[in-house]
Amino acid sequence: MVLFNSLENSFYSFFVRRYLEPFSVRELVYEFRSNGAKVSAEEIEELLEDDPNILPLEKKMYLTRAGAFTGRYFSIVPSAEEVRQGVLVPGDRCVPFVDGEQLSCFLTFAFDGTALPQKKFETDCNSVRDFFTLFGDEFANQYIASDPANATLHIEENGFELPPRLFLTGFDVSALFSRFDFRVGDRLIAFVRDWDLGVVEIYPLKHFFQEKKENVHFSDYELARSSWYQTLENALLESFDRLGPCASIDEQLANVFYENRAKLCVPLSGSIGEFLNRSTRVGLELFGVETRLWRAGETVPAEVCGSFDDLIFPFYDLPESVIESFIKDEFFSRHSSSGQKATLSDEEALARILPDFIDFTDDEYNFFSLQIKHINAKLRKSYNWFADFAYGDFRHQSLKVYEKVRELFFELDCSDDEFRKMPQTELITLSQLFSHLTNMIESIADLCGEENIVSKDDDLETMRLSLEGMEFNFEDIRPILLDAYEKIARARFTVVN
């Protein structure tokens, strides 16, 4: 596990988001050292291999997702209702070309270099989820509730059900559609102009070819798109055989589109949504508590291929925001029970955040210990219970589930071979739950940062819904995993006569 300080992390993040050319480990090490960071080639290589925003190339070269997809073409077909309202909703239409960590409602759509103004799109509760298919159905409600257009939506008050009518953030394309006589069924060509800032240029397809002074007939469109659909289908089926199910739909598509960019990232392309509606061989299937692209109608193989590092790694990672959340939770709970300003010794903080059952290496333990002591000293002076009041209880609930999941994983004290004998679906689900909980705790930390102490009920409602589902899934898989582990543990012992 690579352990970087905040300055090194900031430099790496800037590099990954802005650098567009292929590079080697040696070149990146040089860039780090030129900026005063002491890193080894081994650390950089490990970091690159684990980063979903990095694509490995041939001859030990690498490329950022920003470099892979900036300027690459894809297409969008607005719905009949979008054309009627003169609004274009980003939704999942830019997957995998944009940053998967950025909420699509915060992308910027532009025409001829000028950003289009935002405009609310009104839709119904049955149609709205179609805009988020590629993010996985399990995340759709979170994307909908996180959209600023739904700032007054409180789904928790309605039993976590969506109302009959609601809104999404879109872009005003009414003048654009009118200017180019854009009609239902017409297509937009899009490409990412700035991956870091999330800027996407759009052009009506006919206008795009007129600008290039090319005459393309309707039959050319149909023939090209038919070929495009077949190419995408073949490429995805090949990726399933070669890569198995990737960590996300976005990652699966990123690999396929970059490897086949000459045929897939072209102006005369179809869209992924259209492809899924017409393909009989590729579909969206459940994988643990998530959704993956896979062979239509088949169960995604819940089996870890090769090393178990990808499954195990999250349990040994400890982001700074998670450390801060643990310490804030102690301050919050102690203040709540005593009414006095709380104190927390370093030893108490270490005991909770780095429990004995986690077998960290000495270097890992020392690194995290220093971080914990530093953050504890900082919060001891700056922690504000009143500013934290809106988030404290929910953060406490989230950390309790986080600790339960973490403790169960380390209770399953297995070798790689023994892990393969465990129920694979439940094991993968456990790892997914832990990653989701880590992301949730980081999101809570973002909400209650020093510059953002105003309660955001809609965001908390969305996370409460998610936490409730995660806790239910955990309680469902826990006895299955413990029962399997008990059998494995018993099998380690043989009776000697």
Side-chain angles (χ1 to χ4, degrees):
M1 179 167 54
V2 180
L3 304 173
F4 280 168
N5 60 38
S6 57
L7 182 63
E8 291 164 343
N9 280 327
S10 296
F11 172 75
Y12 178 72
S13 176
F14 179 83
F15 178 88
V16 168
R17 302 189 66 81
R18 305 295 303 178
Y19 198 76
L20 305 182
E21 302 298 325
F23 63 93
S24 66
V25 169
R26 181 179 179 182
E27 289 169 328
L28 185 52
V29 169
Y30 175 80
E31 292 293 332
F32 263 94
R33 291 177 177 172
S34 297
N35 284 271
K38 296 180 180 180
V39 297
S40 67
E42 291 75 17
E43 287 177 315
I44 293 297
E45 186 171 8
E46 181 181 344
L47 190 66
L48 295 175
E49 292 294 334
D50 290 336
D51 192 337
N53 285 325
I54 297 293
L55 296 173
L57 307 179
E58 295 179 344
K59 299 180 180 178
K60 295 187 177 181
M61 298 293 286
Y62 297 87
L63 184 65
T64 65
R65 286 276 289 268
F69 294 121
T70 298
R72 301 286 181 189
Y73 294 118
F74 59 100
S75 75
I76 298 171
V77 181
S79 68
E81 190 60 27
E82 285 175 295
V83 174
R84 189 186 71 79
Q85 295 185 37
V87 186
L88 183 66
V89 176
D92 63 4
R93 286 156 155 166
C94 300
V95 174
F97 297 89
V98 295
D99 178 8
E101 293 296 314
Q102 181 178 18
L103 288 174
S104 57
C105 57
F106 295 119
L107 294 172
T108 298
F109 275 16
F111 173 72
D112 266 349
T114 301
L116 296 168
Q118 288 189 344
K119 181 180 178 181
K120 286 185 179 181
F121 173 74
E122 185 176 1
T123 185
D124 62 81
C125 61
N126 296 317
S127 303
V128 69
R129 302 174 76 86
D130 294 341
F131 288 98
F132 304 99
T133 301
L134 298 180
F135 298 133
D137 188 64
E138 63 276 12
F139 296 117
N141 277 11
Q142 296 177 49
Y143 277 92
I144 294 164
S146 297
D147 192 318
N150 293 314
T152 59
L153 173 65
H154 302 293
I155 59 175
E156 187 181 42
E157 296 174 0
N158 195 35
F160 299 110
E161 294 292 330
L162 295 175
R165 305 293 297 179
L166 64 166
F167 296 92
L168 295 175
T169 295
F171 293 90
D172 189 344
V173 287
S174 54
L176 182 67
F177 285 0
S178 177
R179 174 181 169 187
F180 295 104
D181 191 27
F182 196 93
R183 302 180 183 183
V184 175
D186 286 351
R187 189 174 300 268
L188 296 167
I189 294 300
F191 65 88
V192 176
R193 190 176 79 205
D194 190 316
W195 193 90
D196 180 34
L197 298 178
V199 180
V200 179
E201 288 274 351
I202 59 170
Y203 293 88
L205 180 65
K206 295 174 184 176
H207 170 68
F208 178 85
F209 283 110
Q210 286 170 359
E211 287 288 297
K212 290 182 172 291
K213 296 181 172 57
E214 295 181 18
N215 292 319
V216 180
H217 299 289
F218 179 79
S219 59
D220 297 326
Y221 293 152
E222 293 304 301
L223 186 62
R225 277 200 294 276
S226 178
S227 174
W228 187 90
Y229 293 131
Q230 189 61 57
T231 299
L232 178 55
E233 185 173 76
N234 291 339
L236 280 168
L237 292 170
E238 187 275 334
S239 81
F240 300 155
D241 291 335
R242 179 167 51 89
L243 302 174
C246 290
S248 65
I249 293 171
D250 176 64
E251 185 177 316
Q252 197 98 41
L253 289 170
N255 284 308
V256 165
F257 271 81
Y258 182 72
E259 290 171 0
N260 299 273
R261 58 195 178 280
K263 293 182 179 179
L264 294 178
C265 301
V266 294
L268 289 180
S269 62
S271 68
I272 299 169
E274 291 173 302
F275 165 75
L276 289 173
N277 285 333
R278 62 183 287 159
S279 177
T280 59
R281 302 175 70 194
V282 174
L284 295 167
E285 307 293 340
L286 278 178
F287 180 63
V289 294
E290 300 177 351
T291 306
R292 293 289 187 273
L293 283 169
W294 198 248
R295 298 180 189 87
E298 293 187 17
T299 301
V300 183
E303 185 170 341
V304 180
C305 302
S307 170
F308 273 79
D309 289 349
D310 289 343
L311 183 145
I312 292 170
F313 172 76
F315 292 93
Y316 286 91
D317 192 21
L318 198 56
E320 188 173 317
S321 57
V322 174
I323 294 175
E324 185 173 298
S325 296
F326 268 116
I327 294 173
K328 280 187 174 182
D329 181 56
E330 289 291 334
F331 285 148
F332 180 82
S333 300
R334 294 177 185 214
H335 185 285
S336 298
S337 60
S338 68
Q340 304 294 319
K341 184 173 181 179
T343 59
L344 179 70
S345 69
D346 288 341
E347 290 71 22
E348 290 171 320
L350 290 170
R352 182 174 181 196
I353 303 171
L354 304 178
D356 291 340
F357 59 74
I358 304 180
D359 53 337
F360 288 116
T361 64
D362 289 343
D363 286 345
E364 289 169 347
Y365 187 87
N366 291 336
F367 178 84
F368 289 135
S369 296
L370 287 173
Q371 272 197 314
I372 291 166
K373 291 175 182 178
H374 171 73
I375 293 171
N376 191 27
K378 181 181 71 173
L379 289 177
R380 199 178 288 137
K381 297 176 182 177
S382 64
Y383 178 74
N384 184 331
W385 184 86
F386 295 100
D388 198 32
F389 180 76
Y391 309 96
D393 282 333
F394 182 67
R395 180 180 54 229
H396 182 72
Q397 294 167 24
S398 303
L399 286 169
K400 281 178 64 178
V401 181
Y402 174 96
E403 289 177 297
K404 285 182 185 178
V405 173
R406 181 175 68 171
E407 186 173 348
L408 175 60
F409 174 80
F410 285 102
E411 193 173 340
L412 308 175
D413 185 19
C414 294
S415 65
D416 270 17
D417 287 340
E418 288 173 333
F419 267 133
R420 295 187 194 285
K421 299 174 184 176
M422 296 286 289
Q424 298 293 285
T425 296
E426 286 74 14
L427 194 60
I428 288 170
T429 297
L430 185 71
S431 182
Q432 290 173 344
L433 289 174
F434 190 76
S435 295
H436 293 178
L437 284 161
T438 301
N439 292 336
M440 177 177 288
I441 292 165
E442 291 178 323
S443 296
I444 298 169
D446 290 340
L447 279 178
C448 58
E450 292 178 5
E451 298 179 2
N452 181 16
I453 61 174
V454 179
S455 175
K456 292 189 175 180
D457 291 339
D458 52 333
D459 293 315
L460 288 178
E461 285 174 11
T462 305
M463 288 190 281
R464 282 193 186 98
L465 170 64
S466 181
L467 182 64
E468 184 179 294
M470 286 190 275
E471 191 163 17
F472 177 83
N473 283 315
F474 172 73
E475 295 300 339
D476 198 37
I477 66 173
R478 185 175 183 274
I480 298 172
L481 289 170
L482 287 175
D483 182 61
Y485 176 67
E486 185 179 345
K487 293 175 182 176
I488 288 171
R490 283 202 305 265
R492 293 172 183 164
F493 300 95
T494 56
V495 177
V496 180
N497 292 324

